[in-house]
Each structure stands twice: as C-alpha cells, then as structure tokens.
Amino acid sequence: MLTKINTYRIVFFSPHSSFFLDIKEGLIQKGMKIASAANYQALLGIIEDKKNCIIVSDYLFPAFNGLELLKKIKKDFNKIPPIIFILDDYKTEIIESLIEYGARDFIVEGKSNLISVFERIVLLMTHLEREKKQLEIAKSENKPDEFTRFLDVIDELVFIRELEGPFITVNNNSLERLRYSREEMLSMEPEKIIAPQKVFDYLLEVR
C-alpha cells in the first residue's frame, strides 16, 4: 500500500525535541520521503515546489503557535496543505481550533509510538488519494471523457473500484436500475448496495 501512495513528502517544520527527531528517523527507515524546513520561508518554498506534501509541525514556536501558523499559510498560500501537529498533551480547545482552521491530525508527544505515527500518516495519505480521485470524478462528471461515455453505452451494470474502499465510478445504467444518485453510489462499498427493484420484485413473488 505504501508504494502506491509514497508520492507524498513528509515535511518536518522546525523540529527541536528528541521525540520529533525520533519520528523523522523512524519514517526514513520505513522508506518515506522526508524533507525539513528550518524556517517559515523555507516551508513556503517546499509547499510551492512539492504539491504532494504532508507537514509535521510542532504546535509551539518561539514567535508563534500552530494556529497562527495555519493563518499565515492561508494568507500567503491561499490554502492549507495537510498538516499534522505535535502536541505535548490533549488540549481540547486547541485541537478544536486547529481542526477549524484546517489541521488534519494530531500526535501527542509521549502517548504515540513510531508504529502508530507511521500508521496514521499512511492513513492520511490514503485519504488524500481518495479525495483526489473523488475530485477528478466530480470534474469528469461536468465534462464526460471518452472512457465515461464508453461506460454509459454498456447495457450491463458497471462498477469500478480499487481492492478496498468505495466505488471510483459507475455507469448511468447502474444508477437507473438500482435507483441511487451518483453521489450515493460513490460513497458506498459493494456490500452496502440494496437493489430496490429486486426487492420489489421479490415482494411481488411472495405475496
């Protein structure tokens, strides 16, 4: 799974604690691509140059905190890249504020080991890839490409997905026969599908 999503670079911003450095070294050993930004301008440069990046940052800095960092990035870059903050403790008010401004996850120093950090970063990578595909699908719905038009002329029900997760796309025939909207179908996994027409026909037979 990591091979497929390892196009992301993990960017460490101003690491200073031994915990921070241990995570960085552990991820390198796991085969992840790593970069470091010693200051804010260096961080902006990496964000602009590396479109697929996940930032791992301390919450507290000498001159500002994580919330102020998010606001600065939003102002200078116009959007928030995926950011994971390292906190020294669970602080509900801080976490809620960071989520509101676009943080994607949190690591609590002393309560997360390397394995859990690695798993959470891989999970975030997977979510980001899924979001990309859903965005591509949404764009293609407005302007159907040749592949989409090909699926729509097939008389059978066509569902396309990866080995895990919800459908990537379906053809119009599937929507018409199963009576789902496209949005509903793309949020579902195969085992969740109920065919309304088949249920209706079955009820007619048993009456």
Side-chain angles (χ1 to χ4, degrees):
M1 181 173 62
L2 180 59
T3 302
K4 296 178 63 178
I5 58 178
N6 203 21
T7 58
Y8 288 88
R9 188 174 297 273
I10 312 302
V11 181
F12 286 85
F13 181 43
S14 294
H16 67 272
S17 69
S18 59
F19 176 70
F20 212 128
L21 296 175
D22 288 344
I23 291 175
K24 182 178 177 181
E25 182 61 30
L27 295 181
I28 291 174
Q29 293 178 7
K30 290 285 189 180
M32 288 191 169
K33 300 175 183 178
I34 303 296
S36 296
N39 55 56
Y40 180 69
Q41 290 304 318
L43 179 65
L44 281 187
I46 293 175
I47 294 173
E48 291 173 349
D49 184 49
K50 304 291 183 183
K51 303 304 179 184
N52 286 353
C53 68
I54 295 174
I55 300 168
V56 178
S57 172
D58 254 335
Y59 173 73
L60 289 177
F61 298 87
F64 55 90
N65 61 35
L67 185 58
E68 292 167 327
L69 173 64
L70 291 173
K71 292 178 179 179
K72 284 169 67 69
I73 294 175
K74 176 67 175 178
K75 179 181 177 182
D76 294 336
F77 196 62
N78 201 33
K79 65 178 182 179
I80 304 294
I83 298 184
I84 299 173
F85 280 103
I86 294 182
L87 306 175
D88 58 5
D89 199 0
Y90 288 105
K91 298 174 181 176
T92 304
E93 291 183 3
I94 291 176
I95 290 175
E96 288 177 350
S97 297
L98 292 173
I99 290 175
E100 181 180 352
Y101 277 89
R104 298 298 293 256
D105 202 356
F106 307 91
I107 298 169
V108 178
E109 186 172 351
K111 296 185 179 179
S112 301
N113 57 36
L114 175 61
I115 294 176
S116 67
V117 171
F118 175 75
E119 290 175 344
R120 288 167 75 168
I121 290 177
V122 170
L123 182 61
L124 177 54
M125 289 178 174
T126 304
H127 284 315
L128 292 172
E129 283 301 298
R130 185 168 296 170
E131 289 172 3
K132 276 185 178 179
K133 289 176 182 176
Q134 289 174 342
L135 182 59
E136 290 171 0
I137 291 168
K139 289 180 178 178
S140 68
E141 287 175 358
N142 295 329
K143 187 178 179 181
D145 57 19
E146 184 176 346
F147 179 67
T148 303
R149 291 193 294 270
F150 169 73
L151 293 182
D152 287 340
V153 299
I154 299 176
D155 189 50
E156 300 297 326
L157 280 65
V158 178
F159 310 91
I160 297 179
R161 70 188 288 257
E162 293 189 354
L163 294 178
E164 298 178 356
F167 297 112
I168 296 174
T169 189
V170 298
N171 65 348
N172 283 335
N173 200 33
S174 302
L175 303 178
E176 292 172 1
R177 293 193 190 181
L178 298 178
R179 301 181 185 178
Y180 286 105
S181 69
R182 185 172 297 277
E183 291 74 18
E184 289 173 326
M185 285 295 293
L186 296 183
S187 67
M188 299 170 65
E189 297 188 19
E191 60 270 19
K192 302 296 184 181
I193 293 178
I194 298 176
Q197 187 59 54
K198 291 184 178 180
V199 173
F200 179 74
D201 293 342
Y202 172 76
L203 292 175
L204 288 179
E205 290 178 7
V206 299
R207 284 178 182 172

